[in-house]
Structures are given as structure tokens and as C-alpha cells.
Amino acid sequence: MKTEKKSENYSYSIVQDTKEIVSVSASLGADGAFNFNISISEAELYHANSIEVNSEIEKLLEEITAQAKTYIATVN
């Protein structure tokens, strides 16, 4: 299982072999609010690996939040 950054900012895939299990993305609103989107692509793989996948999702949310806070700090 690995995490891949997609081409867009704040967009990642959690992949096993060649199958995307989960897509995690975020956007930053004009008011500074974070909007997270977590989409499950492969339900069976997700359920079979839920502990590991959820751990990866948690890490990504922390990483995305840190990146966004850095960005906000530089534009304010």
C-alpha cells in the first residue's frame, strides 16, 4: 500500500498494487476554511485494509492541514 500525490494541490490517492482504494483531497475556501473530501474507490479493499488505510488517511489530513496553514501564513 502506498500514497501517491496527484497533480492537483492537496490531492492524494491511497493505492494497493495498481488499484486506488481511497482518494483524499482538500480545498481551501476564501474564508480560510478547509473542505476535505474522502472518496472510497474500492470498498472491498478498503474494508480488508481499513486499519492501515485509516491510518494513512489520518496522516494525509495532518499533512494537508500543515501545508495549508503554511500557505495561509505566507499570504497573510
Side-chain angles (χ1 to χ4, degrees):
M1 186 166 312
K2 63 182 177 178
T3 300
E4 298 177 345
K5 186 170 180 24
K6 293 184 178 181
S7 59
E8 310 95 56
N9 291 337
Y10 311 124
S11 185
Y12 298 83
S13 290
I14 299 173
V15 178
Q16 184 174 37
D17 299 325
T18 59
K19 290 187 178 183
E20 178 183 78
I21 300 172
V22 173
S23 175
V24 178
S25 62
S27 59
L28 185 59
D31 61 353
F34 298 112
N35 298 301
F36 292 102
N37 183 36
I38 301 170
S39 301
I40 298 172
S41 308
E42 292 286 336
E44 289 182 22
L45 282 175
Y46 171 78
H47 289 294
N49 299 285
S50 62
I51 293 172
E52 187 177 356
V53 174
N54 287 338
S55 177
E56 288 299 313
I57 291 170
E58 186 176 337
K59 288 177 193 174
L60 282 173
L61 295 179
E62 289 172 359
E63 181 179 326
I64 292 167
T65 301
Q67 290 174 9
K69 284 181 179 179
T70 300
Y71 172 76
I72 290 168
T74 61
V75 295
N76 284 337

